[in-house]
Amino acid sequence: MPDTTTLTGEPFDRTPFESLLRRRLFFTEAFEIYRTASNFTGDNRGLYDYGPPGCALQANIVDLWRKHFVLEEDMLELDCTMLTPEEVFKTSGHVDKFADWMCKDPVKGDYLRADHLIENVLEARLKGDKTARGIAVVEEEEKDNPANAKKKKMKIKDVKTQRLEDAIVQEYEEILAKIDNYDGNELGELIKRLDIRNPDGNGEVLPPVPFNLMFKTTIGPSAASPAYLRPETAQGQFLNFKKLLEYNQNQMPFASASIGKSFRNEISPRSGLLRVREFLMAEIEHFVDPESGKKHTRFDEVKDAELSLLDRETQLSGKTHLRTMKIGKAVEQKVVDNETLGYFLVRVKLFLEKLGIRPEKLRFRQHLANEMAHYACDCWDAELLTSYGWIECVGCADRSAYDLSVHAKRTGEALVVRELRPEPLKVEEWQAVLDKKKLGPKFRRDAKAVENAVEALSQDGLEVLAAHLEKEGEIALSAAGLSEGKSEVKLGKDLISIGRHVRVEHTRDYTPNVIEPSFGIGRILYSLLEQIYWHRPEDVARGVLSLPFSVAPTKVLLVPLSSQPEFVPIIRKISQRLRSLGISNRIDDTSASIGKRYSRNDELGTPLGITVDFDSVKDGSITLRDRDSTKQVRASQDEVIAAIKSLVEGQETWEDVFKRLPEFLGQSID
Amino acid sequence: MPDTTTLTGEPFDRTPFESLLRRRLFFTEAFEIYRTASNFTGDNRGLYDYGPPGCALQANIVDLWRKHFVLEEDMLELDCTMLTPEEVFKTSGHVDKFADWMCKDPVKGDYLRADHLIENVLEARLKGDKTARGIAVVEEEEKDNPANAKKKKMKIKDVKTQRLEDAIVQEYEEILAKIDNYDGNELGELIKRLDIRNPDGNGEVLPPVPFNLMFKTTIGPSAASPAYLRPETAQGQFLNFKKLLEYNQNQMPFASASIGKSFRNEISPRSGLLRVREFLMAEIEHFVDPESGKKHTRFDEVKDAELSLLDRETQLSGKTHLRTMKIGKAVEQKVVDNETLGYFLVRVKLFLEKLGIRPEKLRFRQHLANEMAHYACDCWDAELLTSYGWIECVGCADRSAYDLSVHAKRTGEALVVRELRPEPLKVEEWQAVLDKKKLGPKFRRDAKAVENAVEALSQDGLEVLAAHLEKEGEIALSAAGLSEGKSEVKLGKDLISIGRHVRVEHTRDYTPNVIEPSFGIGRILYSLLEQIYWHRPEDVARGVLSLPFSVAPTKVLLVPLSSQPEFVPIIRKISQRLRSLGISNRIDDTSASIGKRYSRNDELGTPLGITVDFDSVKDGSITLRDRDSTKQVRASQDEVIAAIKSLVEGQETWEDVFKRLPEFLGQSID
């Protein structure tokens, strides 16, 4: 487990954290009552439901995303279908290439993802080595907590406490650093050479085979229309490119965007929300003229922003250290390929920080060559540090003209931008002209085939034929689709002429390139929760989620001191006033103690709490509590509501409010 | 086509309307460039993508729904997976019963939905009858437009201009009125008796067979885990019932809610967005104590609201007239079964009217017995009038305790509410007590089986056995799972005693009933667009969408009079100010005329337009235009922005603003 620390600098402990998320219903395994039921078998992992706070948090992240990206830059948002005909994914390359390498353990019947298998086994061996070298702390712990130490010893025995040679340790570390760069054959060789087996039972595994990650189904009653659930929202955006360009009144560059669920049939889902089979994505497809050098008009606004980068070269040398660079410099030095990509990297960083992501737990890692998706020519991931390590949460890929080109080729639809040239372009080129009046009578039903064959000739071909025609007065031309098994026709000077002609192009057609920032909302949500979770020193069992106002599911908790009926109208009135300001709030009028009610809401990430007590009935004053400091102030309803508004809108911090309103120390909160 | 009229009272014409939706990219057939490509076959209809204005309209409808239902009543929102294991839908009854009746035309290879087939054929025959009776107007038209009349004649010939007997006309009309009430056998008989054939080719069709409407796939690499895409979001909510109740601190009643995509593999999708295979739903599951009479604490607030009702009895008598009733009276008279159902019918009506649905084009229709889904015991649909007829857009079903009961039975999980009784309940009952000390030694490994058999005895069984034991001193008891093929054991008075005992119940366990308002967002969106579409008398080709502020994709259009650079900073400033008030706006600085730019935005449903002209540069004043009246006012930026805010928030109408700000007549808008 990486050395992650909470906001208060303590080591992060996943057990109480996960218990909090379960207890407060942020999310839960889908159809859990079935998983534990008898007679229910089958592989149904990797599917999660979001409960009320998770659902609200997700909605707030999406809302912020829409404001930060779509509205800020007038992107064209789409909502496309998840069901997609097979033909679309055949063209896009997903049917052939969207696969992971999978090994089967023929004895256990387990299916294992090859790269994860190698990672797990090598990491266990390295751990065993560390233990054997005495890096483990079992002995020390033995004095303080013998029971625990005993358990640890047993665990260490499981992973084999073998002392490895220094060269082997180094080799393993290098393999792990570039694990994403191996193809199926290489993974197979590693498994063989390093004798990697299924950790569960130690059985040998079969060589890796590709497993396609798309879910298949069929559309309609006839079963003649195979389809897949989309693994990304991108294809729907590409297929609508022509209409979007028209909608955008033919102005370039522009971006489309889409928020929706996608599906990947993971071989063996793990790590909770981090590797799931159904997930919410938010994707941007920014269409840009490749000849513009992929410059961006707003790059100047971001050029001094600093990013932590882990580039391809560093990784290939087996290292993982970060370089902190201004994006302007990074693009200048070609560490990051172009301005548009650089612009989006910074925008991504700003977005993540708005959510509450901690800057020191964010890095941008460049993909290795073999790691990239089949459609990408460059890719940088925004990775967030969690207890599972650095997790890819946003991918920024340069898809070049790949997708638009393949769909255009398959469908015959011109997915291009047509631009008026500032100066007409003169192109001198070879041109063949057929005498169509004579062509028909001479070739009858072959005439069309002859025409097609002439049209298909390249410039080089035309040049050769021109010389031949000049010399021989006749040329022989291969043509497909001729009648009576013929494959060639002869054309004399009476039928065809070939010469140099000048063509004037007033317009320029080009296929745009695509820069694609693609966000895994569930991964961001989970990583964020880990990064902002902590607990108060006096209460280890109960946590606090320091979600910022922007995304906290509920902004204000309203608690009456007791079930006194006089409190009811006051609480309702405050709730109504906050709602009319668009500030989400909840009343907790259960009989639990105020302290318990506040703790529950600390765990739900509610930043503020209002208490109505007997003084409120007398003088109208109420108290306002800050989740993170637990400090309280007391003032009139108007003053408190104004302070809340200013806090939610980011005009003041709690420190500002605390300074200007009188502190309240009266009630005990326990 | 039903006689629908636009807001200006003219007949609705679907052709220019659909052309507007396509032109402005509200939505489009998914993967359209593939549909028209060569070599692309297969059944891929019924799938639509939403373009920018459709996507924004959809998001605004969903946002309003969340505020109107979820926030207003503190519902617990969930986001559950679409992929669902087969076992869940086996239990819920969907694998067996979620099907439509389908007929195959063996010659053409067509699959036809049986009820739609009958509807189409009978409607065509009735039309033919009308024509034969001289109701058609072909002859009249012949004078004015001979070419058109000729086409019409040919068309009429196709549908057979046969004069039907009066009794037959009446029979057909009755069949159509209750078409939803026939089961598969009855549909088959109708097809046979009335000689109904495939309109395409006139071939006979095979008898109807059920076709399951769920899309099937498998989860994981082993293919051993069949799964379906959910056809409704409800099941995920039911499976989480226990956690939701706990999250709600065990308080009843409460509601959960969910917004998400669902999937139905329609046999033959038609009518554009009205019958699609992938669609956005918003569903509420309101859990209520069945012994409460399904009363609702807020029913009083709505009891005087009037609804247009079409109840079951009226339909079964072959009629379709509406009854306008106050909901209080309707519940009192048991037209609507209970308060909770009645409460939601009114809330649905209020929601639809907030969107802009026209009250005279909304009715509530009760389902016929055979029409109801297998889980429902009563159901009222909110239907909206469109050019396709009355369309079910919201279903309000009483699902009773059906779903929770079947899942509880299958999984062994108690999906019940446990409530403290106000008074403990004393229950006198038969009870058998075994002497466990003797049981073990006597029966050895059969002891457990004997215990189970005794526990499984009913009250009646115990009564009989008590008498027998008293009389004979011994009883014979059948038990499953005994060793050595035994099926019975004998128990004497030394081992068992049976007598009357009083049990005191302090708590009461019950399975809640569920009232489910279920919204088809796409259908609502389409019906709304039809209902608020019209065109100006002087311009038939261009339409206006009178979307209210609440859901209009963009609230304000900003247009500079020309490309003068002085206008740019003014426009940007206004855009920025509106955005900071949360008011969505777009700049159109293309070179089209002001009139064209306004027309485009009338078609996009943008309610307001601001023009910046040379006077704006001089004195800071700007003009504000109302979409529906095309009237304009002129005032300072501050005044106009304040007016916009007040309009968007519903504090003023355009009439109010028009009265208090000076009218502007200066620019020509063409």
Side-chain angles (χ1 to χ4, degrees), chain B residues 215-441:
Chain B
F215 287 96
K216 194 166 190 172
T217 187
T218 51
I219 298 177
S222 79
S225 306
Y228 293 98
L229 294 176
R230 66 179 179 198
E232 54 170 11
T233 72
Q235 297 304 323
Q237 301 184 57
F238 299 138
L239 296 186
N240 281 302
F241 170 73
K242 215 177 145 183
K243 288 175 190 164
L244 289 169
L245 180 64
E246 202 181 301
Y247 183 84
N248 204 44
Q249 299 170 293
N250 291 310
Q251 292 171 344
M252 281 287 290
F254 74 95
S256 61
S258 198
I259 302 164
K261 294 273 163 80
S262 292
F263 302 81
R264 297 184 186 179
N265 198 2
E266 295 287 347
I267 294 165
S268 53
R270 54 175 196 178
S271 317
L273 280 196
L274 297 180
R275 189 166 299 283
V276 295
R277 286 172 166 157
E278 178 177 333
F279 50 96
L280 188 64
M281 287 184 108
E283 290 192 306
I284 294 164
E285 311 297 333
H286 181 88
F287 299 96
V288 59
D289 183 351
E291 289 190 11
S292 71
K294 303 184 191 176
K295 292 210 173 299
H296 197 287
T297 50
R298 296 178 70 174
F299 188 70
D300 250 19
E301 297 174 25
V302 303
K303 69 175 195 303
D304 290 330
E306 287 198 330
L307 301 181
S308 299
L309 303 176
L310 174 58
D311 61 27
R312 193 175 291 156
E313 284 64 39
T314 309
Q315 294 168 75
L316 285 176
S317 71
K319 303 288 189 309
T320 56
H321 62 264
L322 301 180
R323 294 165 72 180
T324 301
M325 286 184 95
K326 287 190 177 167
I327 193 65
K329 193 140 213 160
V331 169
E332 210 179 287
Q333 297 184 359
K334 279 283 171 188
V335 177
V336 170
D337 182 70
N338 61 68
E339 285 188 6
T340 300
L341 194 52
Y343 175 77
F344 279 114
L345 295 187
V346 176
R347 294 287 298 158
V348 166
K349 177 186 151 89
L350 293 173
F351 169 68
L352 292 172
E353 289 179 5
K354 265 189 199 171
L355 298 183
I357 288 297
R358 292 159 62 185
E360 74 277 16
K361 298 195 173 199
L362 163 63
R363 74 177 187 190
F364 289 88
R365 187 179 71 81
Q366 191 173 26
H367 273 209
L368 303 176
N370 280 336
E371 177 186 3
M372 275 190 287
H374 61 273
Y375 45 72
C377 68
D378 194 8
C379 187
W380 284 85
D381 283 344
E383 296 187 329
L384 300 176
L385 187 59
T386 72
S387 62
Y388 294 97
W390 286 99
I391 299 299
E392 168 198 351
C393 290
V394 186
C396 293
D398 183 340
R399 297 179 77 131
S400 68
Y402 176 80
D403 303 272
L404 291 180
S405 304
V406 293
H407 288 303
K409 194 171 166 217
R410 170 65 186 87
T411 61
E413 195 79 39
L415 302 180
V416 294
V417 178
R418 170 157 295 180
E419 252 179 20
L420 209 61
R421 291 184 180 278
E423 294 284 321
L425 183 74
K426 288 182 187 171
V427 187
E428 202 193 326
E429 62 184 10
W430 290 100
Q431 214 174 7
V433 180
L434 284 164
D435 186 335
K436 296 211 181 154
K437 273 191 200 148
K438 290 185 187 157
L439 199 70

Side-chain angles (χ1 to χ4, degrees), chain B residues 129-172:
Chain B
D129 173 69
K130 277 189 190 162
T131 311
R133 281 171 196 239
I135 301 168
V137 289
V138 180
E139 289 77 13
E140 283 166 48
E141 215 167 299
E142 205 139 30
K143 294 173 249 166
D144 306 330
N145 188 345
N148 204 19
K150 198 174 163 193
K151 260 191 252 157
K152 218 174 222 177
K153 261 191 186 165
M154 283 171 65
K155 223 171 159 190
I156 286 166
K157 217 172 145 196
D158 286 348
V159 298
K160 291 193 200 141
T161 53
Q162 202 182 339
R163 175 86 150 80
L164 303 173
E165 285 169 33
D166 288 355
I168 289 183
V169 168
Q170 199 191 331
E171 187 197 358
Y172 285 3

Side-chain angles (χ1 to χ4, degrees), chain B residues 560-569 614 617:
Chain B
L561 185 67
S562 66
S563 62
Q564 216 70 18
E566 299 97 292
F567 299 156
V568 176
F614 291 103
V617 180

Side-chain angles (χ1 to χ4, degrees), chain A residues 28 32 34 43 49-50 58 79 82-83 91 216-217 219-220 225 240 243 247 261 265 278 407 600, chain B residues 28 32 34 43 49-50 58 79 82-83 91 216-217 219-220 225 240 243 247 265 278 407 600:
Chain A
T28 175
E32 201 173 29
Y34 272 79
D43 182 0
D49 293 343
Y50 287 82
Q58 178 183 261
D79 185 12
M82 300 167 200
L83 284 168
T91 308
K216 194 167 190 172
T217 187
I219 298 177
S225 307
N240 282 301
K243 289 175 188 163
Y247 183 84
K261 294 274 164 78
N265 199 2
E278 178 178 333
H407 289 302
R600 180 171 189 268
Chain B
T28 175
E32 202 174 29
Y34 272 80
D43 182 2
D49 293 344
Y50 287 82
Q58 177 182 259
D79 184 12
M82 301 168 201
L83 284 168
T91 308
K216 194 166 190 172
T217 187
I219 298 177
S225 306
N240 281 302
K243 288 175 190 164
Y247 183 84
N265 198 2
E278 178 177 333
H407 288 303
R600 179 170 190 267

Side-chain angles (χ1 to χ4, degrees), chain A residues 23-25 28-34 36-45 47-53 55 58-59 66 70-85 87-88 91-92 102 111 211 215-222 224-227 229 236 238-240 243-244 246-249 251 261 263 265-268 277-278 280 406-408 410-413 415 579 584-590 600 604, chain B residues 23-25 28-34 36-45 47-53 55 58-59 66 70-85 87-88 91-92 102 111 211 215-222 224-227 229 236 238-240 243-244 246-249 251 261 263 265-268 277-278 280 406-408 410-413 415 579 584-590 600 604:
Chain A
R23 193 161 64 243
R24 299 305 171 206
L25 206 47
T28 175
E29 279 195 288
F31 26 88
E32 201 173 29
I33 62 172
Y34 272 79
T36 52
S38 59
N39 300 328
F40 182 66
T41 53
D43 182 0
N44 294 299
R45 293 164 302 156
L47 292 165
Y48 289 83
D49 293 343
Y50 287 82
C55 199
Q58 178 183 261
R66 193 176 262 134
V70 180
L71 297 183
E72 177 66 28
E73 311 199 20
D74 277 347
M75 292 176 178
L76 306 183
E77 193 177 337
L78 292 178
D79 185 12
C80 302
T81 61
M82 300 167 200
L83 284 168
T84 312
E87 197 61 27
V88 172
T91 308
S92 70
M102 173 171 85
Y111 295 90
F211 173 71
F215 287 96
K216 194 167 190 172
T217 187
T218 52
I219 298 177
S222 79
S225 307
L229 294 176
F238 298 139
L239 296 187
N240 282 301
K243 289 175 188 163
L244 289 169
E246 202 181 300
Y247 183 84
N248 205 44
Q249 301 171 291
Q251 291 172 342
K261 294 274 164 78
F263 303 81
N265 199 2
E266 294 287 345
I267 294 165
S268 54
R277 286 173 165 156
E278 178 178 333
L280 188 64
V406 293
H407 289 302
R410 169 67 185 84
T411 61
E413 194 80 38
L415 303 179
R579 193 175 291 171
S584 67
N585 61 90
R586 287 216 170 233
I587 298 168
D588 184 349
D589 54 8
T590 56
R600 180 171 189 268
L604 288 167
Chain B
R23 195 161 61 241
R24 297 309 171 204
L25 207 46
T28 175
E29 279 196 288
F31 25 89
E32 202 174 29
I33 61 172
Y34 272 80
T36 52
S38 59
N39 300 327
F40 182 65
T41 54
D43 182 2
N44 294 298
R45 293 163 303 157
L47 292 164
Y48 289 84
D49 293 344
Y50 287 82
C55 199
Q58 177 182 259
R66 193 176 262 134
V70 179
L71 297 183
E72 178 65 29
E73 310 199 22
D74 276 347
M75 293 176 178
L76 306 183
E77 192 177 337
L78 292 177
D79 184 12
C80 302
T81 61
M82 301 168 201
L83 284 168
T84 312
E87 197 62 26
V88 172
T91 308
S92 70
M102 173 170 85
Y111 296 90
F211 174 71
F215 287 96
K216 194 166 190 172
T217 187
T218 51
I219 298 177
S222 79
S225 306
L229 294 176
F238 299 138
L239 296 186
N240 281 302
K243 288 175 190 164
L244 289 169
E246 202 181 301
Y247 183 84
N248 204 44
Q249 299 170 293
Q251 292 171 344
K261 294 273 163 80
F263 302 81
N265 198 2
E266 295 287 347
I267 294 165
S268 53
R277 286 172 166 157
E278 178 177 333
L280 188 64
V406 293
H407 288 303
R410 170 65 186 87
T411 61
E413 195 79 39
L415 302 180
R579 192 175 291 171
S584 67
N585 62 89
R586 287 215 169 234
I587 299 168
D588 185 348
D589 54 8
T590 56
R600 179 170 190 267
L604 288 166

